[in-house]
Amino acid sequence: MRAPTARQRGVAVVTALLLTTLAVTLVASLFWRQQVELRSLENQRLQLQAKWVLLGTLDWARRILREDAQLSAVDHLGEAWAVPAPETGLDDYLDSGGADNGEGGAAMTRTIVDAQSLYNLGNLAQNGAANPKEVDVLRRLLASLQLDAALAPALATALAATQKAPSADGAAAAPDLAQLTQYDDLLTVPGFTLPVIDKLKDYVVLLPEPTEVNVNTAGALVLAARMGRSAAQTGALLASRAQAYFRDEGDFENRAHTPLVAGETALQTHYFLVGGTVRIARARLETQALIYRKNTGNTTLKWVRDY
């Protein structure tokens, strides 16, 4: 009778161990699933906090631009909007939960860039037709960047195809750049590749309407391409601008020895690119927005994109 009893005890012990292992596995699985769900909810909370902070960035930018318009009709790089805001800590305002667990706290950076300091690709075509003069401007810019100048007419043709032609009564239709509004959209144009776009995007922008280049904020390559000047001439103009910005049309004409040309060059900007980056613990959100500012200082948000 002893042998069967020992076997039964052994089976009971093994069964108990298996049941214990199964129970521990189930409990661990439940805890793991709960941890994953909590982590997911926390990530959603952090992303939502980041979006709210970035909305505040847009309000800050619009206030800065509105106040600037009330102070001066000339836009230059010495104004408040052009000074990058230092990184702002948010730990005193947000419960990031990251400072204590090694994931870092919460911080925000904000920038405002004059969109008209770049060459507007929207100038290449109006009312469904390419603009040869603007195509030449882009050709010069592409050549200075050591890119294929043939990309200019190809892009002008593609942009014209996305626009509405004038109506039968001769009234010009508003530009419609719905199909080409972002840098990545340029990949649909023959010849444009990611390396080409990466090299070009620091010098061009796609705006909803044709615009002038602001001679007070444009860089050397954009200014040279826009005005059709040599590198030496543009360098001299920028050196003069570094001493003092162009106060008005007469000041620019005296120093540049050429007048401002309507539709090509200007001293005032209407379109601004607002960038914001928010880091809260392990969450990070970048956004860019396009703001249009009227002469009165009133602003309109054209679009917002998250990255």
Side-chain angles (χ1 to χ4, degrees), residues 248-261:
D248 51 40
E249 186 173 355
D251 182 32
F252 175 78
E253 183 174 354
N254 289 335
R255 288 196 274 166
H257 307 293
T258 186
L260 292 172
V261 180

Side-chain angles (χ1 to χ4, degrees), residues 23-24 50 78 91 101 122 234 289:
V24 171
D91 291 326
N101 57 20
T234 306

Side-chain angles (χ1 to χ4, degrees), residues 133-146:
K133 187 174 183 179
E134 296 296 328
V135 171
D136 288 339
V137 175
L138 183 57
R139 276 198 180 104
R140 291 193 290 268
L141 181 58
L142 291 169
S144 65
L145 294 172
Q146 298 182 342

Side-chain angles (χ1 to χ4, degrees), residues 19 34 38 41 83 105 121 144 146 166 203 206 232 242 249-250 258 263 265 269 273 289 297:
L19 291 175
Q34 185 180 32
L38 290 175
L41 290 174
V83 180
L121 297 178
S144 65
Q146 298 182 342
Y203 304 93
L206 271 163
E249 186 173 355
T258 186
T265 50
T269 292
L273 291 168

Side-chain angles (χ1 to χ4, degrees), residues 13 44 68 77 116 131 165 184-185 201 222-223 252 257 272:
V13 171
Q44 293 178 20
D68 172 71
L77 296 176
Q116 291 179 227
N131 186 329
D184 290 346
D185 296 334
K201 66 183 181 181
V222 173
L223 206 55
F252 175 78
H257 307 293
F272 295 86

Side-chain angles (χ1 to χ4, degrees), residues 54 57-58 111-113 115 118 181-183 201-202 204-206 272-277 285-291 301-307:
L54 290 175
T57 297
L58 294 179
T111 59
I112 302 178
V113 175
L118 310 174
T181 59
Q182 304 184 54
Y183 294 121
K201 66 183 181 181
D202 290 334
V204 301
V205 66
L206 271 163
F272 295 86
L273 291 168
V274 178
T277 301
L285 184 63
E286 295 184 29
T287 189
Q288 188 179 62
L290 178 65
I291 291 179
L301 182 63
K302 292 297 184 178
W303 49 252
V304 180
R305 296 167 185 158
D306 295 333
Y307 298 96

